[in-house]
Amino acid sequence: MNQRQDPIGVFDSGIGGISALQAMVRLMPRETFIYYGDSLNAPYGTKTPEEVRTCVRAVVNRLLDQQVKALVIACNTATSAAAETLRRELEIPVIGMEPALKPAHEIRHGGKILVLATPLTLRQPKFSALMDRYGEGAVRVPCEGLMELVEREDMDGARGYLEKLFSRFDLRWVDAVVLGCTHYVFLKSMIREMLPDHIAITEGSEGTARQLERVLKAAGLNREEGDGHVIFETSGPAEEIATMERFLSRRL
Ligand code: DGL
C-alpha cells in the first residue's frame, strides 16, 4: 500500500501538544493525524528521563501498531529524554520539539530571555547544548505545576501562578519569553496581556509543523490529495476525547 496515505502519529503527556497539532493541521489539511495524550502518566516534566522513556515507548508502540508513517513528539520534555533513542530505533521520521530559544536569541537586544519549561527539559543535556549556542542572557525558569493547571483548564490558577512567576523579574530588562512546553502555548494570550509590549513571546508550534512538512516532502511521504482528519486517543478516561477536540479548535 502507498505509505503516503498512512496517518502521522503525534503525542504528548496530555492536551499540550494539541497546540502544535493545530499548526500541523492548518499547514497540512490533507494529512490524517492520530493524536495520543498520555494523561494517565502526566506530568512527564517531573519524572526521570528513564521514566519518561518508558512512558514514551508504550505510546510509540500503540502508534506504530496503527501504521504511522512519521512520529511527532509534540512535547519538549519527551523530546529531550527520548528523541535520540527513538531516532536510532525507528525507521520512520521522528520530529521533536525544543524550546524556541534560537528565535528569541535572534531578536534579543541585550536583555534577558526567560525560558519557561518543565524541570526535566531544563536539566537535560539537549537543553544545555541549546544554551551553549543561543543562551546569552537566557534564564532557566522551571514551571513545576503549570501544565496541571492547563490540563484542568484552571485559568485563574494559571494567572495567579504566572503573576507570581513574572513578579520575580524586572520585566524592563526582559526581551523575550520562551514558551518551552506545549501546554504553556494555551496560555499565550493570557501571557501576552500580562507582559509589557516590548517583550516578544516565542514558541515552537509553527516551526514544528514546517519541519514535519519538509521531512514528509523530502521522503515522498506527504499526502497530495483527499481530506485529512484527526483521531484522538488517550491513556486516561474516555471523556478526555471531548476535551481534546475542544482544544483543537481553541484560539491561541
Ligand atoms: N507538554 C510537555 C512539554 O512540552 C510536558 C508537560 C509535562 O508532562 O510535564 O514539555
Side-chain angles (χ1 to χ4, degrees), residues 9-12 44 49-64 68-97 126:
V10 183
F11 73 95
D12 180 34
Y44 283 177
E50 193 40 59
E51 285 169 334
V52 172
R53 280 193 285 275
T54 304
C55 297
V56 165
R57 223 163 257 138
V59 172
V60 169
N61 285 339
R62 285 193 63 120
L63 292 169
L64 290 175
V68 293
K69 63 182 174 185
L71 194 65
V72 182
I73 312 173
C75 174
N76 298 261
T77 310
T79 300
S80 62
E84 257 183 51
T85 317
L86 291 178
R87 287 199 181 107
R88 260 198 318 270
E89 291 174 359
L90 303 181
E91 278 163 20
I92 55 171
V94 176
I95 286 89
M97 295 188 76
K126 191 174 189 308

Side-chain angles (χ1 to χ4, degrees), residues 88-115:
R88 260 198 318 270
E89 291 174 359
L90 303 181
E91 278 163 20
I92 55 171
V94 176
I95 286 89
M97 295 188 76
E98 65 182 14
L101 182 57
K102 183 173 181 247
H105 168 81
E106 280 159 6
I107 52 172
R108 171 179 181 261
H109 34 88
K112 281 197 163 61
I113 299 172
L114 307 184
V115 187

Side-chain angles (χ1 to χ4, degrees), residues 7 12 30 32 35 43 55 70 72 79-80 90 102 104 116 127 129 152-153 172 183 204 225 230 237:
D12 180 34
R30 298 196 186 287
T32 292
Y35 181 94
C55 297
V72 182
T79 300
S80 62
L90 303 181
K102 183 173 181 247
L116 278 53
F127 185 71
R152 290 203 297 273
E153 299 184 68
R172 284 174 306 170
H183 280 80
E225 54 204 30
V230 177

